[in-house]
Amino acid sequence: NAGVMQNPRHLVRRRGQEARLRCSPMKGHSHVYWYRQLPEEGLKFMVYLQKENIIDESGMPKERFSAEFPKEGPSILRIQQVVRGDSAAYFCASSSRTGLYTGNTIYFGEGSWLTVV
Amino acid sequence: RKEVEQDPGPFNVPEGATVAFNCTYSNSASQSFFWYRQDCRKEPKLLMSVYSSGNEDGRFTAQLNRASQYISLLIRDSKLSDSATYLCVVIPNTGNQFYFGTGTSLTVIP
């Protein structure tokens, strides 16, 4: 499967625990985006990363959330001290180039569904 | 003001009907435009790009109106399998983000 791979697909955490979501982009893609989708709501941009660099994190909550995309390995979205309001689907997407290239678009993984109890 | 706005619907149409969705965007310098489809509890999937001159893919036609800052999606001869949420996507001239609308829900009724 050469698509965007996310794991875990489903994750249950108690309030106060940490959640780590992983994303491996499509082969040949070096741009990764994380989106959050709350129940019955639209996709909200969180962060855009290239290898080892955070390019745009304007959608990330100021506290408890962090993201990285190391030189080797998958991109990680980390949520510390989770609260019930963090329950959502977290989608990762990747692209081969920035959106500045006409027609370039992003492809999504199947999502990680976080439930905080 | 939101970057991208869509009528959430829902649109309930009979099989065979023609249905159209619009999506407005706020940044006049926006670069690229797309329509995605999202099924319940699934990831969004690219439906089609939207080109300045308009483009068609089978029963689907996408249009861009830069003067009025909106894009549209027309679905002809609706099928039951078209039932989904349709998301418009706009890329600003910085290229850093893909802004998604909240989606328009379509249900095609037998």
Side-chain angles (χ1 to χ4, degrees):
Chain A
N1 186 346
V4 180
M5 303 300 292
Q6 289 188 247
N7 69 82
R9 291 292 314 284
H10 300 275
L11 182 63
V12 179
R13 284 288 179 264
R14 295 186 184 279
R15 280 178 295 172
Q17 291 185 318
E18 179 179 287
R20 281 187 181 233
L21 309 178
R22 289 176 290 280
C23 170
S24 295
M26 284 179 74
K27 189 175 181 180
H29 286 190
S30 60
H31 300 253
V32 166
Y33 306 78
W34 284 94
Y35 288 81
R36 177 165 64 172
Q37 190 169 35
L38 294 168
E40 307 303 323
E41 293 190 16
L43 283 164
K44 294 289 171 57
F45 168 81
M46 299 182 76
V47 62
Y48 163 41
L49 311 101
Q50 292 181 41
K51 280 290 187 181
E52 300 185 273
N53 292 307
I54 296 175
I55 307 301
D56 184 343
E57 57 180 348
S58 58
M60 287 281 270
K62 293 290 185 282
E63 297 177 346
R64 303 188 296 108
F65 285 71
S66 62
E68 62 177 11
F69 189 15
K71 186 177 180 180
E72 301 292 337
S75 175
I76 306 284
L77 179 67
R78 182 183 178 204
I79 311 171
Q80 295 177 286
Q81 299 176 325
V82 296
V83 300
R84 288 236 172 100
D86 296 333
S87 296
Y90 292 84
F91 289 101
C92 171
S94 73
S95 68
S96 58
R97 299 178 294 183
T98 72
L100 284 174
Y101 291 89
T102 300
N104 187 52
T105 188
I106 57 174
Y107 298 90
F108 283 85
E110 293 181 315
S112 290
W113 304 81
L114 172 65
T115 302
V116 180
V117 297
Chain B
R1 185 181 174 187
K2 289 183 180 179
E3 294 284 343
V4 182
E5 302 221 38
Q6 284 185 259
D7 179 352
F11 284 68
N12 299 314
V13 302
E15 268 187 292
T18 296
V19 61
F21 311 132
N22 280 346
C23 171
T24 59
Y25 59 94
S26 59
N27 185 347
S28 60
S30 293
Q31 179 87 8
S32 300
F33 310 87
F34 304 91
W35 283 100
Y36 277 69
R37 170 192 169 132
Q38 186 175 25
D39 292 288
C40 187
R41 294 189 67 81
K42 298 285 189 180
E43 76 275 23
K45 292 184 178 177
L46 177 65
L47 180 65
M48 60 195 301
S49 302
V50 185
Y51 301 123
S52 297
S53 55
N55 49 298
E56 191 173 302
D57 183 1
R59 298 181 294 108
F60 298 83
T61 301
Q63 300 254 331
L64 167 64
N65 185 318
R66 283 196 183 271
S68 301
Q69 293 181 209
Y70 74 85
I71 62 173
S72 64
L73 177 68
L74 181 78
I75 306 175
R76 291 182 299 278
D77 189 22
S78 299
K79 312 290 185 192
L80 296 176
S81 58
D82 293 334
S83 298
T85 297
Y86 291 83
L87 307 164
C88 65
V89 181
V90 173
I91 303 176
N93 53 348
T94 58
N96 281 352
Q97 292 192 27
F98 291 73
Y99 288 104
F100 281 78
T102 52
T104 298
S105 173
L106 171 66
T107 300
V108 180
I109 304 164

